[in-house]
Amino acid sequence: MSTVLLELKNVKTHFTLSKGVVKAVDGVDLKLRQGEILGLVGESGCGKSTLARTILQLTPSTKGSVKFAGKSLGNLTSKQLRKTRTDFQMIFQDPYASLNPRMTIFDTIAEPVQCHKRVSKQTLTNRTLELMNKVGLDPRTIKKYPHEFSGGQRQRIAIARALASEPKLIIADEPVSALDVSIQAQILNLLSKLCKDMGLTMIFISHDLSVVKHIADRIAVMYLGKIVEIGEASEIFEQPRHAYTKILLNAILTPPDIALSEYRVPFS
Amino acid sequence: MDSTTLTALKITLHCASLATFLVMIPGTWIAYVLARRDFPGKNILSAIVGLPLVLPPTAVGYLLLQLLSTEGLLGQNRLGFDLNILLTWKAVTLACAVMSLPLVIRTARVAFEGVDPRLESMARTLGHSRIKTFFCYTLPLAFRGIFAALILGFTRALGEFGATVTIAGNIPGKTQTLASAIFTAQQVGNQTEAYFLLGIALIIGFVAILVSEYLSQRQTQ
Ligand SMILES: Nc1ncnc2c1ncn2[C@@H]1O[C@H](COP(=O)(O)OP(=O)(O)OP(=O)(O)O)[C@@H](O)[C@H]1O
Ligand SMILES: [Mg+2]
């Protein structure tokens, strides 16, 4: 069995608001092996994004520890943390919102490469072209700006940038839910191929079990800030144990027209 | 144009520019904090910095006067020396700054709120520090809006009357501004001068608003 890359112990992230405390993440234990793709599913608001931001140290945790490659991230100084950050990258839901509109594709993809070391322009260009090729972007578009691309292409740019710093872990937060169904499959295939080829470890977040099914080795089901069930993807589908997992499964197994009819408003 | 009119125009431009300059950094910073940070008492801070926008300017002037008078918190008796602000061009600048600060903060805050926080998260995950993220991502993306905010603040400062008259007076050649010169010209019935000043005020105001509108529109694209 390969080594453990990421280990969470009783991680809690609470937000104190004037209305009270929101327990967005409320005691999560999780182990992620090197090279594994974990699907993280759960309904909107259950704390998936907050868990991701906590792992990446973008949101401080209230309790618990996040260990990455044996190092406890909470104990790092901000300078050490900045160095370590290149080891984990994030891909966001809306690729337009996460690409700087003032930066060309070259600048965008090259940025993480230059962030921590000096690199010659030629090396940068080669590296950028190589990454563009990897994610299936036309090399002639290297000087273009994000708004000149379609949603699917923008997501490819975001993926190329995430790969640029040669990370060990990628967290993809609903990377396809803003895209057309036809393009979703392309991006999913790309991500899955890249992970296999490059031996990447990935947490793939979605509120939709049917999306996760195709890509994940293991699936974790999150509900109200806790992971209520975790197991091999096939296991979750064949023998769901938690009631909430069954509800999620029902949602994808129900033919859409039946599901819709329940919400139909009768004419009067 | 006689020399007092010319001086009034000079004082106005000089004090309004200086006030805008003074307000620039604190205004941008407070706007950023209000747009991005959550902390207890945020609404109260927001209300306090917005106050000069809704109070009568003379009331703000009166408050400043209390603060700076000999017995006040910043007065000679408390500090041990005289700041020597009242009835000078410094008072004009102070009044302009205080009156335009809320306008700058409000407009700049909207500009910061228009920058997607996910871009900032993204920059952080790429390994940039908070400060670098602010200067390399947030600020450039919000720049037009902030610039528009400063122009609005400058315009507000140009037109300042109530607070200025209260703490700086209306001394021709010393603290008389465009606004107070118009008031004086009208009071003494000097119509030509009033018209002339009105024309200048119209032109400056018109250009400033056009520029700031243009800049805010460009940002939302
Ligand atoms: N910065 C914050 N301050 C206060 N509350 C927050 C903050 N971020 C998230 N929350 C709250 O925490 C809870 C979990 O939010 P989160 O975004 O993690 O859910 P999610 O599972 O990613 O949902 P979605 O599928 O809609 O993206 C929500 O109730 C949300 O309102
Ligand atoms: Mg989310």
Side-chain angles (χ1 to χ4, degrees):
Chain A
M1 182 163 279
S2 51
T3 52
V4 173
L5 182 68
L6 180 74
E7 186 173 3
L8 307 192
K9 277 204 185 122
N10 192 26
V11 170
K12 294 186 181 178
T13 308
H14 296 175
F15 296 108
T16 312
L17 307 175
S18 48
K19 291 167 277 173
V21 176
V22 179
K23 299 182 174 176
V25 175
D26 199 23
V28 166
D29 292 289
L30 188 67
K31 266 187 194 169
L32 206 60
R33 291 183 301 264
Q34 183 115 38
E36 171 177 50
I37 300 182
L38 177 79
L40 181 64
V41 291
E43 66 185 350
S44 182
C46 72
K48 304 178 300 285
S49 299
T50 307
L51 181 59
R53 294 177 59 88
T54 305
I55 294 173
L56 299 180
Q57 307 291 306
L58 289 170
T59 302
S61 62
T62 317
K63 244 191 133 179
S65 75
V66 180
K67 262 192 180 171
F68 181 80
K71 275 183 290 186
S72 186
L73 294 182
N75 296 338
L76 298 182
T77 64
S78 62
K79 205 172 171 191
Q80 289 169 319
L81 180 62
R82 251 180 282 143
K83 278 245 165 67
T84 317
R85 278 233 161 90
T86 50
D87 282 345
F88 34 80
Q89 287 294 303
M90 183 134 174
I91 299 168
F92 291 87
Q93 171 175 3
D94 179 355
Y96 197 62
S98 63
L99 297 175
N100 191 336
R102 301 276 169 80
M103 281 160 76
T104 64
I105 302 321
F106 172 76
D107 294 333
T108 301
I109 299 177
E111 189 185 15
V113 182
Q114 305 171 279
C115 198
H116 291 287
K117 53 182 179 224
R118 296 213 157 276
V119 191
S120 76
K121 178 101 192 204
Q122 189 55 45
T123 324
L124 266 185
T125 311
N126 289 344
R127 179 94 179 102
T128 305
L129 286 172
E130 178 198 339
L131 285 161
M132 287 178 77
N133 184 32
K134 229 176 208 156
V135 299
L137 283 168
D138 184 345
R140 283 170 301 182
T141 58
I142 191 165
K143 286 273 148 62
K144 292 198 169 172
Y145 286 88
H147 69 264
E148 299 174 76
F149 291 87
S150 69
Q153 286 170 318
R154 278 182 222 146
Q155 201 56 299
R156 285 174 197 268
I157 301 168
I159 293 170
R161 174 179 57 187
L163 297 175
S165 62
E166 303 182 339
K168 299 195 182 94
L169 172 71
I170 286 189
I171 300 186
D173 191 357
E174 312 240 10
V176 297
S177 41
L179 305 177
D180 280 356
V181 181
S182 56
I183 294 161
Q184 286 190 0
Q186 293 174 12
I187 298 291
L188 283 177
N189 289 339
L190 174 68
L191 277 173
S192 140
K193 184 176 177 307
L194 288 170
C195 283
K196 292 233 165 60
D197 293 352
M198 303 171 71
L200 289 171
T201 313
M202 181 161 79
I203 298 179
F204 186 100
I205 298 176
S206 176
H207 58 267
D208 186 350
L209 255 179
S210 62
V211 169
V212 169
K213 186 174 135 186
H214 297 292
I215 189 165
D217 304 315
R218 278 198 306 157
I219 292 177
V221 180
M222 200 166 169
Y223 183 62
L224 295 180
K226 294 186 167 72
I227 289 183
V228 292
E229 182 160 4
I230 184 164
E232 299 298 317
S234 53
E235 241 173 67
I236 297 277
F237 271 85
E238 276 149 32
Q239 303 158 321
R241 276 168 299 153
H242 196 274
Y244 178 65
T245 316
K246 290 176 191 164
I247 297 174
L248 276 184
L249 278 172
N250 272 335
I252 61 167
L253 298 176
T254 316
D257 48 301
I258 296 178
L260 265 183
S261 67
E262 288 179 23
Y263 297 105
R264 226 166 253 160
V265 183
F267 291 102
S268 58
Chain B
M1 190 176 354
D2 66 34
S3 75
T4 42
T5 315
L6 196 65
T7 323
L9 189 58
K10 264 194 204 152
I11 291 173
T12 308
L13 290 174
H14 174 242
C15 292
S17 322
L18 192 59
T20 313
F21 180 75
L22 287 178
V23 156
M24 184 163 68
I25 290 173
T28 311
W29 183 70
I30 296 173
Y32 176 75
V33 169
L34 287 177
R36 280 294 190 262
R37 295 285 152 80
D38 247 325
F39 50 90
K42 178 170 157 172
N43 288 339
I44 293 175
L45 175 68
S46 174
I48 289 175
V49 297
L51 221 48
L53 216 53
V54 291
L55 281 181
T58 42
V60 177
Y62 190 64
L63 244 154
L64 290 173
L65 191 62
Q66 294 303 311
L67 220 63
L68 294 167
S69 64
T70 324
E71 300 295 327
L73 269 179
L74 297 174
Q76 190 173 12
N77 288 357
R78 202 57 68 87
L79 295 177
F81 60 93
D82 194 357
L83 284 171
N84 213 345
I85 290 179
L86 294 177
L87 298 178
T88 66
W89 62 269
K90 288 185 241 167
V92 179
T93 310
L94 180 68
C96 290
V98 170
M99 293 308 294
S100 62
L101 183 65
L103 206 57
V104 171
I105 292 176
R106 287 205 164 213
T107 321
R109 178 181 178 172
V110 174
F112 280 126
E113 282 168 349
V115 177
D116 198 305
R118 279 170 295 185
L119 271 175
E120 293 167 355
S121 291
M122 196 65 233
R124 304 273 311 286
T125 63
L126 294 179
H128 294 308
S129 64
R130 265 183 202 281
I131 293 173
K132 188 153 183 219
T133 303
F134 177 78
F135 282 106
C136 294
Y137 276 74
T138 319
L139 201 57
L141 289 169
F143 182 75
R144 280 173 185 280
I146 293 166
F147 198 62
L150 291 175
I151 289 181
L152 271 184
F154 178 67
T155 335
R156 178 69 189 83
L158 285 180
E160 218 310 295
F161 178 70
T164 310
V165 163
T166 314
I167 62 171
N170 182 0
I171 311 167
K174 203 174 160 216
T175 63
Q176 187 172 69
T177 62
L178 196 57
S180 36
I182 292 178
F183 180 72
T184 307
Q186 180 259 332
Q187 288 287 303
V188 302
N190 188 344
Q191 222 180 31
T192 349
E193 171 131 349
Y195 276 140
F196 176 72
L197 292 167
L198 180 67
I200 297 179
L202 269 174
I203 294 170
I204 299 178
F206 191 68
V207 170
I209 289 197
L210 275 188
V211 173
S212 87
E213 293 263 303
Y214 169 77
L215 290 171
S216 337
Q217 276 166 11
R218 285 295 296 271
Q219 190 184 12
T220 52
Q221 276 175 9

